[in-house]
Every structure is written in structure tokens, then in C-alpha cells.
Amino acid sequence: SSQTTLFSRGPTVRALHGSLDQKAKVLVALYDDPIDAATGRAYYPPPRVRDDIPVVPHYPDGQTTPTPSAIDFTPGDLLGSVSGELGLRKFLESRGHQLVITSDKDGPGSTMDSHLHDAEVIISQPFYPYYLTAERIARAPHLKLALTAGIGSDHVDLEAAAASGVDVAEVTWCNSISVAEHVVMMILALVRNYIPSHLYAVSGGWNIADCVSRAYDLERMTVGSVGGGRIGQAVLRRLKAFDCDLRYTDRHRLPETVENEIGLTYEADVESLVRKCDVVTINCPLHPGTEYLFDEEMIGKMKKGAYLVNTARGKICRAEAVAEALSAGKLAGYAGDVWFPQPAPADHPWRSMPHNAMTPHVSGTSLSAQARYAAGVREILECHFDGRPIRQEYLIVKDGELAGTGAHSYSRGNATGGAV
């Protein structure tokens, strides 16, 4: 087998070819490698900060972490960038498959688009999604599986996938705790006014009054989660230690035993939740029922000076409405790591609006999470190529219908509009 790397200005492209009797093309969109600040050039691998990472054998509900037959990486490696390859190269080459990995995914003539015609499997991460629209699915007649390296498959037109017989799967649970930790960090960053205070420190300043003029304690605040699933529950469990009044809403109400254990109050709908909360955290999937849920009208129902945190999907919030609410003082702060589209354009209003604690979409792609979702991708590919059933909890669409986690979490339809 041979490896071909194409060097050009712009995104990195890497095509990996197996033996002459290739069985399938696996097409993967990954984010670019790290950039050396001094030279401006990409490099890989980055130096390892830690010698190891903790082993997580199973998730809070007892589901085991991914169980592929083997892995060809060391947990803690950077796997989500182009040169990290999700640790798939050796595995796929050994089976004679062709692996095409690129960061060039957007716009007419992208590398991803140029390989649609003969791709059997398409993989991308929620952090750097390849928007698999109905038009792109129609251009991929051999496509059998759309695989999310992570959780959240809203970048796939699920209606079109189902109609075309394309199965959709993701690595359920793989980074739920990663995201929950990020949510708690962002809530504290907003309420305690951490980022402006940090900027004062590194710029040589010491104006304590400016630092604390927007800083409060989280203790006894009312915090509500839009969504009581894996991430929503994990966030609420972690906030219990802060002695908050914890509330949630979800179309699937939790068992009373769980509500009592965490100390939750159930709200029947989003409107009743946001009217009562000092902090609202969005932890639900994006589907037609949640698209632009937080628009000017919904934000108008929130308490003055409330904080809004969104690590779910950018398209759940209307960008201009959030920016206007911050400028007008309706919201005290907004934090999140999800945008629409992704990558976000340089002039996206969330980059410049006041009192924001935005990051790129990083909450679920920590090195710890990457080890799990890379292993999960391999497990799913092994099942796909061996003709074995994919775990039910990994399934989003199967045989033309929402299935597994998809049937529980999504509604039929399409939320990719405007992506490309």
C-alpha cells in the first residue's frame, strides 16, 4: 500500500490507498493540524502534556465504552486532526479499503464533494461537520453509512438519509461528560466574570472594582437545563454541589427517583423554565423541533440579567437575537462553543458581542474524548464491514427509519438548511 499526501495552500488533504482489490472508500472530514505560532505552518504531533489519561471502562448508565477488536493509537494522542486520522489508517489499509482524509469540506469543488460519487462511508466530527445535505446524499449513490465521530448527527439530513437507505450512527456517550464539564466551566466563567478578570491580570492591570462589578456567586441561583438526557443530567449532577435550585424540561420526563436523587424540579415546557431561571443551559439535540428555539421571543421571556449557555448546537439559538439581548442588557452573558455554520465566519456576531465567553467547538473533543470516539468509530466500522449489528445505542437511522438513540432523541426532518 502507499500513502499520498497532497500539499497545497489552504486545507490539508491526505489520501490513503489500500491494496488493488479495494473494497470500499471511507471518506473522512477532520479539522486541520496544529499551527506553529512562529512559522505559521502546520505540524504534527504536538508534544504530549501528560503521560497517560484515566481509563473509563463504562458510562454512568452502565453502558460500556467502545469495544473494538484493537486500537492503533495511544490514548491521549491528538486523533481528531488530519494527521491523527482517528487512528484508522492501519486498520482500513489492512482490509484493502481506501481512506481519504481531508479538512477541505466546504464550498463548491471541495475535496469531500469530489469523492462523494464512490464513497461507501462518510465520517465527520460535530466540531468540524461535513453537512451531508439531501443534495450531497443524492450525489453519493454508493453511500451506506454516515458516521459521526462524536455525538450529534444533525449535520446529516436525517430525512434524506432515511429515504435513501443510508444508515446513520454516532458514538453515544463518548463525550457527554466532556461537554458537561465544559458547561459547568462556562457557567462559572460567566457568573464570576472570570474572562475579563483574567484579561486584566495578563495585561498588567489590577482594577479589582472592574473585575467584580459583574461578578456574583452561583450559590442559590436557579439553574435550568433544556434537556434532561445524558449531558443535561451530567450538568445538573455537577451543579448540585453548588446548592443551586435545579430545574429541567424534556419531552421525556425523568423517573421520580432520578429527580429526587439530584434534587430536580420538572418544568412542563421551555417557556415556564426560562421565566424562573438565573442560568439556562441548553443540552438538547438539534432537530426541526428545536431549530431556532431561542429566538427574540423566547429570550424575551427570560429573566433580566440571566445567563444563557449553549454547548448543544448553534442553530438552536438565533445569533442576532442573542447579540441584541446582550447589547440591550436583557442577558448578562452568553457562553457556548457551538456555532452555525461551522467553522464560523470571521464576522459572526458572536465573535464580537459583549459579555460572551465563546470558544470554538471544543467541548467534546478533549484528548480524553477523542480516545473514546476514535475507538467507537473503529467499533462501528468493524461491525459495518463484518456484517454484524451495530450497537442499538449507536444507531440514529437504520433501514429507512429513526432507530436506537435516534428514535429517542430526534424528530423526522432536516436541520441542515443554510449550511452550504
Side-chain angles (χ1 to χ4, degrees), residues 1 17-24 26 68-70 72 88-98 378-388:
S1 62
H17 301 276
S19 59
L20 295 177
D21 58 340
Q22 293 166 354
K23 300 176 184 177
V26 179
S69 62
D72 298 315
L88 294 175
R89 178 183 177 186
K90 181 179 178 181
F91 161 64
L92 289 173
E93 282 189 319
S94 70
R95 292 185 172 219
H97 301 304
Q98 181 183 9
R378 172 151 175 180
E379 178 188 336
I380 292 169
L381 288 176
E382 287 178 356
C383 291
H384 172 74
F385 289 125
D386 293 346
R388 293 184 284 113

Side-chain angles (χ1 to χ4, degrees), residues 56-71:
V56 179
H58 55 77
Y59 302 117
D61 68 351
Q63 177 188 318
T64 61
T65 47
T67 55
S69 62
I71 57 172

